[in-house]
Amino acid sequence: GENVEQHPSTLSVQEGDSAVIKCTYSDSASNYFPWYKQELGKRPQLIIDIRSNVGEKKDQRIAVTLNKTAKHFSLHITETQPEDSAVYFCAPDTGRRALTFGSGTRLQVQP
Amino acid sequence: GAVVSQHPSRVICKSGTSVKIECRSLDFQATTMFWYRQFPKKSLMLMATSNEGSKATYEQGVEKDKFLINHASLTLSTLTVTSAHPEDSSFYICSARTGNQETQYFGPGTRLLVL
């Protein structure tokens, strides 16, 4: 099965700074790479995703980059705001089965 | 966007009783639904994959006789925790997707507390 590692486990930044979270995976068949944001007690919400035929995707302050050769993809948040504080999960998907979630990164944006 | 609901949102039960959790896709047909469990400050762990009209596929270590899954229609999957014990207390979340689309839509979760 898929082995997913996510780093760092916690990340504290000042408001306005950038945050980067990295996810490595093991299954070379993975072809879909989403990032989810989960606030305390709430459902995971898809914030951005990328497919294997694309190297980078950006949506306003959020971007995802993919390196299929090295089997890792990263979440980039620029101009962080306090409301970005949450737990972020990567969850690569082979398309044949359910998502395999990383261990999560707790992001704290200090005002 | 696609909406997935879950019911109940939270439930407290006595040890030894059974609890049923419903997961519904409200505005799309979900050919596949997934059930996850999340312990406090932990990640989501897949329990089983539920396919409409066929038996669910359970992940290693998940007892199929304890966690009964039924996906009787394209909009409803149910998870029944049988003979619940305190260690089953957790946050149970379902997700659904349709056809060959990769995007999964998550329900709001059900918080189960077994006394």
Side-chain angles (χ1 to χ4, degrees), chain A residues 42-60:
Chain A
K42 302 289 181 64
R43 77 185 85 192
Q45 293 202 316
L46 178 69
I47 56 171
I48 197 165
D49 57 10
I50 194 169
R51 286 163 179 81
S52 58
N53 57 343
V54 177
E56 183 174 355
K57 181 178 178 181
K58 190 173 182 180
D59 182 4
Q60 300 182 348

Side-chain angles (χ1 to χ4, degrees), chain A residues 32 36 38 41-44 46 49 51 89 93 95-99 101-104 106, chain B residues 4 34 36 38 41-44 46 49 59 91 93 97 102-104 106-109 111:
Chain A
Y32 174 64
Y36 286 87
Q38 187 180 33
K42 302 289 181 64
R43 77 185 85 192
L46 178 69
D49 57 10
R51 286 163 179 81
F89 293 99
D93 178 14
R96 299 192 297 268
R97 53 176 293 137
L99 304 174
F101 280 77
S103 53
R106 186 171 300 275
Chain B
V4 176
F34 305 92
Y36 295 85
Q38 186 176 31
K41 297 186 178 181
K42 298 293 185 181
S43 186
L44 283 77
L46 177 67
T49 302
E59 294 298 299
F91 192 47
I93 309 177
R97 71 179 189 196
E102 302 102 335
T103 304
Q104 291 191 25
F106 283 85
R111 191 162 300 282

Side-chain angles (χ1 to χ4, degrees), chain B:
Chain B
V3 179
V4 176
S5 70
Q6 263 183 260
H7 179 81
S9 59
R10 58 180 62 207
V11 58
I12 301 174
C13 70
K14 292 183 178 180
S15 187
T17 60
S18 294
V19 174
K20 180 185 282 188
I21 302 170
E22 292 186 349
C23 177
R24 294 181 185 272
S25 56
L26 298 185
D27 52 1
F28 68 103
Q29 293 186 329
T31 51
T32 307
M33 288 183 168
F34 305 92
W35 287 96
Y36 295 85
R37 180 166 55 184
Q38 186 176 31
F39 291 107
K41 297 186 178 181
K42 298 293 185 181
S43 186
L44 283 77
M45 298 300 295
L46 177 67
M47 299 175 67
T49 302
S50 170
N51 297 294
E52 187 269 337
S54 64
K55 291 183 178 181
T57 303
Y58 290 81
E59 294 298 299
Q60 191 172 8
V62 178
E63 299 175 56
K64 63 179 181 180
D65 294 330
K66 180 169 181 61
F67 299 100
L68 301 178
I69 292 173
N70 187 306
H71 193 161
S73 77
L74 285 170
T75 59
L76 173 65
S77 176
T78 61
L79 167 68
T80 301
V81 183
T82 62
S83 186
H85 290 285
E87 56 264 32
D88 297 325
S89 299
S90 187
F91 192 47
Y92 292 87
I93 309 177
C94 70
S95 70
R97 71 179 189 196
T98 184
N100 292 322
Q101 292 188 13
E102 302 102 335
T103 304
Q104 291 191 25
Y105 303 96
F106 283 85
T110 296
R111 191 162 300 282
L112 170 64
L113 176 61
V114 184
L115 301 178

